[in-house]
Amino acid sequence: DRLDFSETTQPDAEAAVSEIERRAEGDVPSPYLETLLVYDPRFIAQPAEEMVRGYRETFRTQDHPKSKGVDFQIEIPTSWSVSDGRRPNVIAVFESENGRGLESALLMVKELPVDPVELQGVTGADLIGEGFAEAGGGTLLGATPIRLDGLEGWRAAYELEERAMDRVIRLRTVNYTVLFQNYFVMVQCMVGEDPESSSDMEGRIERFIPLFELIAASLVVQSRWE
């Protein structure tokens, strides 16, 4: 009885209903959408489902000052944040839970000091080696040749430790690297140790591997077609 609808017009009511319908179908503005996705129980149980259901964003390196002129793109979950990389070869850093999570992905380009002609005919199997897979200094857990966007490369998993002040943090990483001309294009996905429970590392890496595979599979090197 205390609500006054005397100034509500038919167009106002129709607009309100239309907005409610759009939101019910998933058309939710930022940052509300990211928050809803973070706490969706389906995506907590199976992180890859977020991208499978279409909640994904495209990040492209075109004209980025750190891309070394290589134009490529990947897709990431909508609920993940993006920020500039702080190291020379790191273009961007993506973090789960809108920047609050322990899972992340780094986008990198490294230039090889060789003539691209010397690398013609190199296969993914040729590229696998302890020196490549352990870039960053870690324990190699396994490496296999791959092809992404028609380019040869390798997938390497390893475990490493990082010291932050007086703490040591364990990381499990999966690197997806392809060779384009004389550049390594790299997507480094990782799961960090939970400070409250270090025993769940194996379970979390298993949950996130399907998502990491989707992120890597979305790689498109636009510079190939220039």
Side-chain angles (χ1 to χ4, degrees), residues 51 56-60 71-77 94 105 107 146-150 176 178 185 187 189 210-222:
M51 286 184 62
R56 55 176 71 195
E57 306 296 326
T58 300
F59 181 90
R60 186 168 176 177
D71 178 12
F72 64 102
Q73 66 186 52
I74 63 167
E75 294 179 339
I76 61 167
F94 310 97
L107 207 56
I146 59 172
R147 284 179 64 88
L148 292 176
D149 195 31
Y176 303 88
V178 295
V185 176
V187 182
C189 301
L211 175 59
F212 295 164
E213 299 282 298
L214 284 180
I215 293 173
S218 71
L219 175 70
V220 177
V221 180
Q222 301 288 359

XYZ file of all heavy atoms in Angstrom, residues 51 56-60 71-77 94 105 107 146-150 176 178 185 187 189 210-222:
317
model
N 33.671 -21.415 -19.726
C 33.947 -21.108 -21.125
C 33.067 -21.921 -22.065
O 32.641 -21.418 -23.102
C 35.425 -21.330 -21.433
C 36.331 -20.255 -20.868
S 38.082 -20.422 -21.322
C 38.032 -20.256 -23.108
N 33.152 -16.138 -21.954
C 34.560 -16.021 -22.314
C 34.828 -14.660 -22.926
O 33.942 -14.056 -23.536
C 34.954 -17.131 -23.294
C 34.080 -17.185 -24.544
C 34.570 -18.244 -25.517
N 34.323 -19.601 -25.046
C 34.902 -20.674 -25.562
N 35.775 -20.534 -26.544
N 34.604 -21.874 -25.113
N 36.057 -14.181 -22.739
C 36.472 -12.893 -23.280
C 37.732 -13.102 -24.125
O 38.552 -13.975 -23.827
C 36.773 -11.897 -22.156
C 35.643 -11.716 -21.153
C 34.395 -11.121 -21.758
O 34.536 -10.282 -22.682
O 33.282 -11.480 -21.308
N 37.882 -12.290 -25.160
C 39.050 -12.383 -26.033
C 40.059 -11.299 -25.688
O 39.698 -10.128 -25.546
C 38.636 -12.241 -27.506
O 37.723 -13.288 -27.851
C 39.860 -12.328 -28.420
N 41.314 -11.714 -25.542
C 42.411 -10.764 -25.324
C 43.336 -10.855 -26.526
O 43.822 -11.934 -26.866
C 43.185 -11.090 -24.047
C 44.310 -10.119 -23.768
C 44.092 -8.983 -23.014
C 45.587 -10.347 -24.287
C 45.131 -8.081 -22.766
C 46.617 -9.453 -24.051
C 46.389 -8.320 -23.288
N 43.599 -9.708 -27.150
C 44.438 -9.676 -28.349
C 45.650 -8.776 -28.123
O 45.541 -7.721 -27.486
C 43.624 -9.174 -29.547
C 44.361 -9.240 -30.881
C 43.413 -9.010 -32.032
N 44.125 -8.976 -33.316
C 43.530 -8.845 -34.498
N 42.209 -8.767 -34.565
N 44.250 -8.818 -35.609
N 51.093 -10.426 -33.385
C 49.672 -10.211 -33.120
C 49.003 -11.569 -32.931
O 48.898 -12.352 -33.869
C 49.042 -9.451 -34.291
C 47.551 -9.220 -34.111
O 47.028 -9.442 -32.998
O 46.891 -8.831 -35.104
N 48.571 -11.869 -31.709
C 47.864 -13.123 -31.458
C 46.811 -12.901 -30.373
O 46.765 -11.838 -29.745
C 48.834 -14.239 -31.064
C 49.582 -14.029 -29.780
C 49.207 -14.677 -28.615
C 50.689 -13.193 -29.735
C 49.903 -14.491 -27.428
C 51.399 -13.003 -28.562
C 51.008 -13.656 -27.399
N 45.971 -13.876 -30.168
C 44.892 -13.728 -29.198
C 44.572 -15.057 -28.519
O 44.850 -16.124 -29.061
C 43.620 -13.201 -29.889
C 43.021 -14.170 -30.893
C 41.873 -13.572 -31.665
O 42.009 -12.480 -32.249
N 40.728 -14.249 -31.686
N 44.006 -14.950 -27.319
C 43.478 -16.110 -26.614
C 42.144 -15.715 -25.986
O 41.810 -14.527 -25.915
C 44.434 -16.640 -25.518
C 44.634 -15.589 -24.423
C 45.745 -17.109 -26.101
C 45.294 -16.156 -23.172
N 41.416 -16.721 -25.516
C 40.171 -16.484 -24.795
C 40.346 -16.924 -23.353
O 41.024 -17.922 -23.073
C 39.017 -17.250 -25.446
C 38.692 -16.750 -26.843
C 37.562 -17.529 -27.489
O 37.306 -18.675 -27.055
O 36.935 -16.996 -28.416
N 39.734 -16.171 -22.440
C 39.794 -16.482 -21.022
C 38.390 -16.437 -20.438
O 37.491 -15.823 -21.017
C 40.707 -15.496 -20.266
C 40.163 -14.068 -20.403
C 42.147 -15.594 -20.748
C 40.799 -13.073 -19.452
N 38.166 -17.075 -19.277
C 36.836 -17.008 -18.653
C 36.473 -15.575 -18.278
O 37.339 -14.777 -17.903
C 36.992 -17.881 -17.394
C 38.164 -18.764 -17.664
C 39.083 -17.945 -18.520
N 46.355 -13.060 -16.220
C 44.939 -13.316 -15.973
C 44.813 -14.094 -14.663
O 45.559 -15.051 -14.443
C 44.328 -14.116 -17.120
C 44.628 -13.545 -18.481
C 45.676 -14.042 -19.236
C 43.875 -12.504 -18.989
C 45.976 -13.520 -20.478
C 44.162 -11.963 -20.236
C 45.211 -12.476 -20.982
N 47.039 -17.261 -15.453
C 47.633 -17.559 -16.763
C 48.440 -16.349 -17.198
O 48.003 -15.206 -17.018
C 46.553 -17.879 -17.790
N 50.634 -14.555 -20.405
C 50.806 -14.513 -21.853
C 52.169 -13.899 -22.144
O 52.463 -12.791 -21.702
C 49.699 -13.662 -22.469
C 49.282 -13.944 -23.914
C 48.869 -15.389 -24.072
C 48.147 -13.019 -24.313
N 52.896 -30.622 -29.307
C 51.532 -30.201 -29.618
C 51.543 -29.360 -30.887
O 52.596 -28.942 -31.364
C 50.904 -29.367 -28.475
C 51.746 -28.114 -28.190
C 50.706 -30.204 -27.218
C 51.106 -27.141 -27.218
N 50.352 -29.112 -31.428
C 50.152 -28.147 -32.503
C 48.988 -27.255 -32.102
O 47.910 -27.753 -31.764
C 49.841 -28.841 -33.832
C 51.059 -29.468 -34.501
C 50.663 -30.170 -35.800
N 50.158 -29.239 -36.788
C 50.931 -28.584 -37.671
N 52.232 -28.777 -37.673
N 50.408 -27.769 -38.553
N 49.212 -25.956 -32.111
C 48.165 -24.984 -31.824
C 48.096 -23.992 -32.968
O 49.135 -23.444 -33.368
C 48.450 -24.242 -30.511
C 48.375 -25.051 -29.207
C 48.776 -24.174 -28.024
C 46.979 -25.609 -28.993
N 46.921 -23.787 -33.498
C 46.727 -22.887 -34.637
C 47.680 -23.235 -35.775
O 48.194 -22.352 -36.472
C 46.911 -21.435 -34.198
C 46.369 -20.446 -35.236
O 45.403 -20.801 -35.936
O 46.917 -19.329 -35.334
N 47.945 -24.520 -35.946
C 48.792 -24.984 -37.024
C 50.273 -24.810 -36.780
O 51.075 -25.067 -37.685
N 52.121 -23.937 -22.431
C 51.796 -24.237 -23.826
C 52.611 -23.259 -24.672
O 52.409 -22.042 -24.597
C 50.308 -24.059 -24.088
C 49.427 -24.895 -23.188
C 49.014 -24.413 -21.950
C 49.008 -26.169 -23.570
C 48.202 -25.167 -21.116
C 48.190 -26.932 -22.745
C 47.798 -26.422 -21.528
O 46.992 -27.171 -20.693
N 54.351 -22.369 -28.587
C 54.442 -22.642 -30.018
C 55.513 -21.749 -30.627
O 55.834 -20.674 -30.097
C 53.097 -22.436 -30.751
C 52.067 -23.442 -30.278
C 52.594 -21.012 -30.571
N 55.749 -18.161 -28.616
C 54.508 -17.616 -28.071
C 54.066 -18.567 -26.967
O 53.862 -19.759 -27.213
C 53.425 -17.489 -29.160
C 52.115 -17.014 -28.554
C 53.884 -16.536 -30.261
N 51.710 -19.568 -23.387
C 50.610 -19.409 -22.443
C 50.966 -20.263 -21.241
O 50.985 -21.493 -21.329
C 49.262 -19.852 -23.044
C 48.143 -19.625 -22.035
C 48.970 -19.111 -24.347
N 49.931 -21.486 -17.672
C 48.823 -21.595 -16.733
C 49.335 -22.211 -15.430
O 50.175 -23.121 -15.457
C 47.709 -22.470 -17.303
S 47.015 -21.860 -18.864
N 41.299 -29.107 -17.577
C 40.416 -28.926 -18.742
C 40.241 -27.459 -19.139
O 40.162 -27.144 -20.330
C 39.086 -29.540 -18.280
C 39.484 -30.549 -17.240
C 40.635 -29.911 -16.522
N 40.209 -26.553 -18.157
C 40.107 -25.134 -18.478
C 41.392 -24.639 -19.134
O 41.349 -23.900 -20.129
C 39.826 -24.322 -17.214
C 39.825 -22.802 -17.398
C 38.777 -22.370 -18.420
C 39.612 -22.090 -16.067
N 42.537 -25.051 -18.610
C 43.805 -24.643 -19.211
C 43.894 -25.106 -20.666
O 44.396 -24.386 -21.526
C 44.970 -25.211 -18.415
C 45.086 -24.671 -17.003
C 45.878 -25.328 -16.063
C 44.413 -23.517 -16.625
C 45.989 -24.829 -14.763
C 44.518 -23.017 -15.324
C 45.319 -23.674 -14.403
N 43.396 -26.310 -20.931
C 43.423 -26.828 -22.298
C 42.548 -25.975 -23.220
O 42.919 -25.715 -24.373
C 42.943 -28.280 -22.319
C 43.797 -29.237 -21.495
C 45.077 -29.626 -22.208
O 44.979 -30.229 -23.287
O 46.162 -29.319 -21.682
N 41.400 -25.524 -22.718
C 40.524 -24.669 -23.527
C 41.184 -23.329 -23.817
O 41.092 -22.801 -24.928
C 39.190 -24.441 -22.804
C 38.178 -25.583 -22.817
C 36.928 -25.164 -22.041
C 37.797 -25.963 -24.238
N 41.824 -22.749 -22.808
C 42.507 -21.472 -22.994
C 43.589 -21.608 -24.066
O 43.692 -20.789 -24.984
C 43.106 -20.979 -21.665
C 41.990 -20.616 -20.680
C 44.013 -19.768 -21.900
C 42.480 -20.281 -19.274
N 44.399 -22.662 -23.951
C 45.476 -22.866 -24.925
C 44.919 -23.127 -26.319
O 45.445 -22.614 -27.316
C 46.361 -24.023 -24.479
N 43.855 -23.922 -26.404
C 43.273 -24.261 -27.702
C 42.673 -23.053 -28.408
O 42.471 -23.071 -29.624
C 42.222 -25.346 -27.537
N 42.380 -21.982 -27.652
C 41.791 -20.780 -28.252
C 42.835 -19.882 -28.918
O 42.481 -18.878 -29.539
C 41.041 -19.971 -27.188
O 41.948 -19.347 -26.285
N 44.112 -20.251 -28.807
C 45.179 -19.417 -29.372
C 45.031 -19.267 -30.888
O 44.891 -20.251 -31.604
C 46.546 -20.026 -29.054
C 47.763 -19.335 -29.677
C 47.997 -17.979 -29.013
C 49.005 -20.207 -29.566
N 45.067 -18.030 -31.339
C 45.066 -17.714 -32.772
C 46.167 -16.685 -33.010
O 46.156 -15.611 -32.411
C 43.718 -17.140 -33.243
C 43.801 -16.754 -34.723
C 42.590 -18.130 -33.013
N 47.128 -17.034 -33.860
C 48.209 -16.106 -34.206
C 47.812 -15.359 -35.472
O 47.951 -15.868 -36.585
C 49.546 -16.852 -34.387
C 50.671 -15.865 -34.739
C 49.916 -17.619 -33.115
N 47.289 -14.166 -35.286
C 46.800 -13.362 -36.404
C 47.947 -12.967 -37.345
O 47.728 -12.778 -38.553
C 46.085 -12.112 -35.892
C 44.896 -12.381 -35.005
C 43.701 -12.932 -35.767
O 43.745 -13.105 -36.974
N 42.607 -13.201 -35.053
